[in-house]
């Protein structure tokens, strides 16, 4: 199944899942050897790999190590045009629709498109929305964009709808890696009620309760990076929380 279809399938079937974000700068071989099998075992749907600012040249070696440790899809989550690799299965082909910086709306995509085609990987057209999570993040600083206000669900909903009308296929709401707060449930709910696209939510999710709140508000996929960098064993708790979310969903849907 193509990777986009896996996200669509979750949304259509009211199922929840999670993705693990790997920042190649922080991914030592020892860390990967611990986290990747734990996340796979815990039921993660895929790995996202990338970062707003990569200061080492470890993307290729990280992908190679991960492919040897897990059969889960490796999906690039690029912070720049350099983060394209044929070793990945797919790339979130992001347009930063919360911002007004043309480089991240279309400029970088023009430069990266031939590299993605040459790599032969699936491009998943993704409306990426940075939401204010209580402090500036590397993502907002590097992209030179202002995040959407954290308390304006209506702006988030209209932005998501515009992204859908422009033909994007996936929405990603993100307060940015390490943000003090995650995306508010009001924003998740507003976007979910407005758009039919699969909904990915990340940034600042540090425990199972926060993940459950995001799923309950409407996230189809929750992304966790920092919390698993600090404690790979959190993967098991996240997997159990996801099973719980799916069980209660089945009850409410059925
Ligand atoms: C960031 O959504 C991801 O782009 C994950 O954020 O590292 O805060 O979990 P954290």
């Amino acid at each position: 199944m193509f990777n986009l279809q896996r996200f669509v399938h979750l949304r259509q079937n009211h199922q929840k899942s999670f993705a693990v974000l790997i920042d190649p700068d922080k991914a030592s071989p020892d860390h990967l050897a611990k986290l990747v099998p734990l996340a796979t075992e815990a039921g993660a749907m895929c790995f996202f790999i990338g970062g707003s600012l990569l200061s080492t040249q470890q993307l290729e070696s990280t992908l190679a190590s991960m492919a040897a440790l897990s059969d889960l899809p490796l999906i690039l989550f690029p912070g720049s045009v350099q983060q394209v690799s044929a070793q990945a299965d797919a790339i979130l082909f992001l347009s930063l629709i919360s911002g007004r910086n043309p480089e991240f709306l279309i400029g970088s995509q023009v430069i990266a498109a031939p590299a993605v085609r040459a790599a032969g990987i699936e491009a998943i057209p993704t409306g990426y929305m940075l939401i204010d999570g209580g402090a500036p993040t590397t993502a907002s600083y590097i992209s030179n964009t202002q995040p959407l206000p954290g308390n304006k669900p209506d702006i988030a909903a209209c932005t998501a709808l515009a992204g859908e009308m422009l033909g994007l296929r996936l929405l990603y709401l993100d307060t940015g890696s390490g943000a003090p707060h995650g995306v508010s449930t009001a924003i998740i709910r507003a976007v979910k009620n407005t758009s039919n696209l699969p909904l990915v939510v990340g940034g600042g999710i540090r425990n199972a309760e926060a993940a459950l709140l995001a799923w309950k508000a409407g996230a189809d996929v929750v992304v966790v990076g920092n919390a698993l960098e600090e404690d790979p064993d959190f993967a098991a708790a996240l997997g159990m929380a996801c099973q719980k979310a799916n069980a209660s969903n089945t009850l409410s849907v059925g």
Side-chain angles (χ1 to χ4, degrees):
M1 199 179 341
F2 282 112
N3 288 287
L4 172 60
Q5 285 313 118
R6 300 181 64 229
F7 289 92
V8 172
H9 182 85
L10 286 172
R11 163 109 206 203
Q12 287 176 344
N13 293 282
H14 311 283
Q15 286 174 359
K16 308 296 180 184
S17 193
F18 64 99
V20 174
L21 174 64
I22 302 288
D23 178 341
D25 273 2
K26 299 180 187 157
S28 69
D30 283 353
H31 176 67
L32 289 176
K34 177 150 198 213
L35 175 57
V36 172
L38 282 175
T40 306
E41 175 88 0
M45 73 176 291
C46 63
F47 291 98
F48 288 166
I49 303 101
S52 302
L53 177 67
L54 297 191
S55 45
T56 64
Q57 303 298 317
Q58 294 184 156
L59 178 62
E60 295 294 346
S61 59
T62 299
L63 288 166
S65 306
M66 294 178 70
L69 290 163
S70 174
D71 289 332
L72 288 182
L74 305 179
I75 302 181
L76 297 167
F77 174 39
S80 73
V81 296
Q82 282 82 33
Q83 295 176 40
V84 176
S85 168
Q87 290 194 79
D89 298 290
I91 182 167
L92 296 179
F93 204 70
L94 305 170
S95 184
L96 181 47
I97 58 176
S98 56
R100 297 296 178 268
N101 181 348
E103 278 313 308
F104 287 88
L105 282 164
I106 183 61
S108 298
Q109 292 80 349
V110 172
I111 294 167
V116 172
R117 173 65 57 83
I121 58 177
E122 177 189 358
I124 302 176
T126 304
Y128 184 53
M129 295 164 60
L130 279 174
I131 315 286
D132 192 343
T137 59
T138 309
S140 59
Y141 179 77
I142 293 290
S143 67
N144 196 16
T145 65
Q146 200 178 350
L148 273 165
N151 58 349
K152 298 284 183 193
D154 50 342
I155 302 180
C158 293
T159 306
L161 189 58
E164 180 170 350
M165 288 177 172
L166 282 165
L168 298 170
R169 306 290 294 279
L170 185 75
L171 292 170
Y172 189 157
L173 306 179
D174 196 352
T175 52
S177 204
H181 307 296
V183 180
S184 73
T185 52
I187 285 191
I188 298 172
R189 204 171 291 118
V191 169
K192 183 72 168 200
N193 290 338
T194 306
S195 163
N196 291 313
L197 297 178
L199 183 56
V200 177
V201 175
I205 295 178
R206 308 195 61 81
N207 52 50
E209 293 71 33
L212 276 167
L213 278 178
W215 280 313
K216 207 169 166 202
D220 300 305
V221 176
V222 157
V223 186
V224 177
N226 265 269
L228 287 166
E229 263 163 31
E230 288 159 23
D231 177 16
D233 291 319
F234 173 47
L238 193 58
M240 271 158 49
C242 190
Q243 284 179 19
K244 193 171 155 191
N246 280 319
S248 58
N249 235 5
T250 308
L251 291 179
S252 58
V253 171

